[in-house]
Amino acid sequence: MKQTAAITIRPEEENNKALIEKLIRKELNIPKNAGGKQTFILSKKSIDARHGTIKLHLKYDVYINEEPPSQDTALPQWKKASSEKTVIIIGYGPAAIFAALRLLEKGIKPVILERGKTTKDRREDIALISKNHIVNENSNYCFGEGGAGTFSDGKLYTRSSKRGDIGRILRILVHFGADEKILTDAHPHIGTDRLPLVINNITKKITELGGEIHFNTLCTDFILEKNRLIGVKAVKLLSNEECIFTGDYFILASGHSSSDIYKTLAKINPLALEAKTFAVGVRVEHPRSIIDEIQYHGKKTENLLAAEYSLKTQINDRGVYSFCMCPGGFVVPSASGPDEIVVNGMSTAKRNSKWSNAAIVVETRPEDIPMEFQLQAEKENCPSLKGLFFRTWIESLAKKHAEGQAAPSQLLTDFLNNKKSASFPPVSFTPGITSSNLNEWLPKHICSRLGPAFVEFNKIMKGFICDSAVLIAPETRTSTPVRILRDKQTLENPYIMGLYPAGEGSGYSGGIVSSAMDGELIAEKICSL
């Protein structure tokens, strides 16, 4: 018999097995001397620091006179790929990875085209961004094996429970090397130091089963026959060799930074795209000790990891909110081209750096896009690209206020007082920062909402506004400004038959797990055809 018990303990009691089992028995009214076998398995853990008292809420599955299910039995059974059906997958982020694995459950061969490099070679290019301020437009924090998530915090928390089986995604990640704690933590993450190994193990499995992964291979065009996609043109970046890949179906999972893909689709049929809401803002970085002090009310113990926060408000009819909060993390350069500045955040598994950071961004709707970018999009015969052109302009403008990849920055207090910062505390951003009054060049509808939002956030987290808080700009890629349309029933693009958009870059997810589930959804549809 299986039962569920929920108990609450203090952080320092987390390793007290006898106490925990005593509380579980009390919760379930199990007599102390009850016979039979009892197995207690932690299924969820969360920290509650509200009301000035820190608690751990633990949820256990309790098996009485019954063996708990094995994790291995819940794993998919992958098969050797056959040549009867081939699916071309463009991109190799979470949506592509889990689509490929799902296809291999049916023995369908995935052929993956990834413009970036393997994680090993990609590390060298990422290091050059900080050391020499050189950005390889095809190998960086955004492009390469595993996609943009590989060298990030590896956050796995999602509210998209209706899209698929979250537990299934997490179990697969554990099978390939992620820590088992992701199965129980309320806000699980893998960490940038561990996620590459997980991705490498998945890559090995896909290729062992007969799937193909072509790194350094850039998709340049689509080949159509009577409005049906039959192939893609690509170039091998290391040899400059042009080639063509043909298949039965095509999954487009190229990520939110593939501006060239949106423009290519727009030339084929502008109706295949639509403009969507996205977000623009900054990264705010504090010393980790300040955030821990605020969130744990000065009572942090060594049993607790760096504190998280989640903030949101409405300012002038637009949402302003925190995104991708990285406790004990780093701010990282995420430009995908040499003429732009973009920032993001990441953490290692231990989340033990001196800093904590988060994106603070403003909801930006299609109607918020300035007229000049609407006209530019109309000139390109695709009004849906206006948000993309606006995003590109912000990132290029930031580069003009930067020094190499040293990002334009400002103390939070100086931002609120509309003055340039004279000096800064140490920051985690390794390319460095350069002083800039963000009020003078960030779009007015962004700055005019960020300021009041920070004031509101300081009411919730007293001490959030302080002389040690640094704004690093811009944060522009929390999501894509363009959606690649797909039919709700067939999941196929209604204007380009045979093309199946997937993941964050296509506008259907927002993170590793939701992208993975979306990739599985697309693969399942193709498997049924």
Side-chain angles (χ1 to χ4, degrees):
M1 179 176 65
K2 175 188 173 183
Q3 297 188 55
T4 300
I7 64 173
T8 299
I9 62 174
R10 297 192 301 271
E12 60 268 25
E13 297 171 334
E14 185 177 3
N15 296 319
N16 190 334
K17 183 179 178 182
L19 173 65
I20 289 173
E21 292 187 359
K22 177 181 177 181
L23 293 173
I24 291 173
R25 290 191 179 96
K26 181 178 179 181
E27 172 73 13
L28 298 180
N29 293 317
I30 300 174
K32 183 177 180 180
N33 298 320
K37 182 179 179 181
Q38 300 160 21
T39 305
F40 306 96
I41 297 179
L42 179 66
S43 61
K44 191 65 63 179
K45 180 180 80 170
S46 62
I47 299 172
D48 184 352
R50 297 172 296 175
H51 314 302
T53 302
I54 304 173
K55 304 173 184 176
L56 290 184
H57 296 307
L58 307 178
K59 185 177 180 182
Y60 278 83
D61 291 332
V62 180
Y63 295 87
I64 302 174
N65 295 323
E66 178 182 332
E67 287 296 325
S70 168
Q71 289 290 344
D72 290 338
T73 61
L75 284 172
Q77 300 300 305
W78 296 292
K79 303 176 182 177
K80 195 77 174 177
S82 72
S83 57
E84 294 181 8
K85 187 186 294 186
T86 297
V87 178
I88 306 297
I89 303 176
I90 301 165
Y92 193 49
I97 288 169
F98 278 82
L101 289 174
R102 194 76 172 109
L103 291 171
L104 286 168
E105 289 182 55
K106 299 294 184 180
I108 298 173
K109 182 176 182 177
V111 176
I112 299 164
L113 312 182
E114 168 55 50
R115 69 197 299 167
K117 301 179 182 180
T118 63
T119 56
K120 179 183 177 183
D121 294 335
R122 189 178 172 192
R123 285 182 191 277
E124 297 177 6
D125 292 319
I126 286 174
L128 287 175
I129 300 174
S130 294
K131 291 179 181 178
N132 300 333
H133 297 237
I134 296 173
V135 179
N136 182 328
E137 61 185 357
N138 292 306
S139 177
N140 44 60
Y141 276 97
C142 297
F143 298 135
E145 184 178 7
T150 301
F151 294 99
S152 72
D153 192 82
K155 293 179 182 65
L156 303 176
Y157 177 63
T158 179
R159 294 185 177 90
S160 304
S161 56
K162 294 182 180 179
R163 294 189 181 191
D165 186 348
I166 296 173
R168 168 189 161 93
I169 301 298
L170 299 183
R171 288 191 297 273
I172 291 173
L173 289 171
V174 169
H175 173 73
F176 285 109
D179 195 303
E180 288 188 352
K181 289 191 296 185
I182 69 171
L183 300 174
T184 55
D185 286 350
H187 292 171
H189 84 290
I190 297 178
T192 188
D193 50 336
R194 297 184 180 179
L195 190 51
L197 176 61
V198 175
I199 300 301
N200 295 159
N201 290 338
I202 295 175
T203 295
K204 183 179 179 181
K205 172 61 72 173
I206 291 173
T207 54
E208 282 179 348
L209 293 172
E212 296 180 16
I213 304 176
H214 299 267
F215 293 108
N216 302 293
T217 303
L218 175 65
C219 174
T220 57
D221 206 352
F222 298 90
I223 304 170
L224 278 77
E225 186 177 276
K226 296 182 180 179
N227 206 38
R228 173 168 288 278
L229 186 57
I230 61 170
V232 297
K233 294 181 180 180
V235 59
K236 297 283 188 178
L237 295 172
L238 298 183
S239 64
N240 208 31
E241 173 192 357
E242 294 183 353
C243 49
I244 292 175
F245 292 87
T246 59
D248 299 287
Y249 303 97
F250 299 80
I251 298 176
L252 184 57
S254 49
H256 59 39
S257 294
S258 297
S259 300
D260 51 341
I261 291 291
Y262 301 128
K263 294 174 183 177
T264 300
L265 291 174
K267 289 178 181 178
I268 294 173
N269 192 329
L271 296 177
L273 310 170
E274 70 175 1
K276 64 177 282 292
T277 295
F278 65 116
V280 176
V282 298
R283 276 269 153 186
V284 57
E285 180 171 82
H286 292 79
R288 189 182 87 195
S289 58
I290 289 179
I291 299 302
D292 288 350
E293 177 78 15
I294 295 171
Q295 293 298 82
Y296 293 137
H297 315 288
K299 299 177 181 178
K300 183 181 183 300
T301 72
E302 60 184 29
N303 300 72
L304 297 173
L305 295 173
E308 301 180 52
Y309 63 79
S310 178
L311 298 166
K312 61 181 178 179
T313 188
Q314 284 278 323
I315 304 293
N316 297 331
D317 197 35
R318 292 292 183 270
V320 184
Y321 54 93
S322 62
F323 178 85
C324 185
M325 197 271 149
C326 297
F330 306 86
V331 181
V332 295
S334 290
S336 52
D339 300 321
E340 61 196 32
I341 295 287
V342 184
V343 298
N344 194 6
M346 73 173 190
S347 299
T348 62
K350 291 184 178 180
R351 288 180 164 175
N352 60 355
S353 86
K354 299 176 182 178
W355 302 274
S356 290
N357 71 78
I360 303 295
V361 291
V362 178
E363 176 189 8
T364 302
R365 300 176 185 173
E367 58 264 34
D368 299 329
I369 307 302
M371 181 57 67
E372 62 181 291
F373 304 105
Q374 297 184 39
L375 294 174
Q376 183 182 358
E378 290 171 6
K379 186 177 179 180
E380 296 288 334
N381 195 35
C382 186
S384 298
L385 295 180
K386 60 187 178 181
L388 180 66
F389 292 138
F390 180 50
R391 184 182 79 176
T392 301
W393 173 78
I394 294 171
E395 295 168 357
S396 299
L397 186 58
K399 186 69 167 64
K400 294 177 181 178
H401 290 270
E403 295 179 5
Q405 282 293 308
S409 303
Q410 190 173 16
L411 294 178
L412 174 52
T413 50
D414 287 342
F415 175 78
L416 296 175
N417 291 318
N418 193 20
K419 70 175 186 178
K420 191 174 181 179
S421 298
S423 62
F424 294 95
V427 296
S428 68
F429 193 67
T430 52
I433 58 177
T434 184
S435 184
S436 174
N437 188 347
L438 306 183
N439 294 283
E440 294 180 351
W441 60 270
L442 275 178
K444 294 300 179 186
H445 78 276
I446 303 298
C447 288
S448 65
R449 291 180 169 91
L450 282 176
F454 282 127
V455 173
E456 288 298 311
F457 296 157
N458 195 63
K459 294 176 183 177
I460 300 168
M461 294 178 60
K462 296 187 185 303
F464 191 87
I465 296 176
C466 63
D467 292 335
S468 298
V470 179
L471 306 184
I472 306 175
E475 174 88 32
T476 51
R477 300 193 187 177
T478 63
S479 61
T480 172
V482 186
R483 178 177 287 111
I484 303 171
L485 296 177
R486 70 187 189 197
D487 184 89
K488 290 183 179 180
Q489 299 300 320
T490 67
L491 304 182
E492 189 177 33
N493 185 275
Y495 299 97
I496 304 175
M497 308 305 290
L499 180 67
Y500 292 81
E504 191 169 332
S506 294
Y508 295 96
S509 61
I512 292 174
V513 172
S514 61
S515 294
M517 290 191 295
D518 197 60
E520 285 202 331
L521 177 68
I522 294 297
E524 287 170 10
K525 175 59 69 173
I526 290 174
C527 289
S528 70
L529 299 176

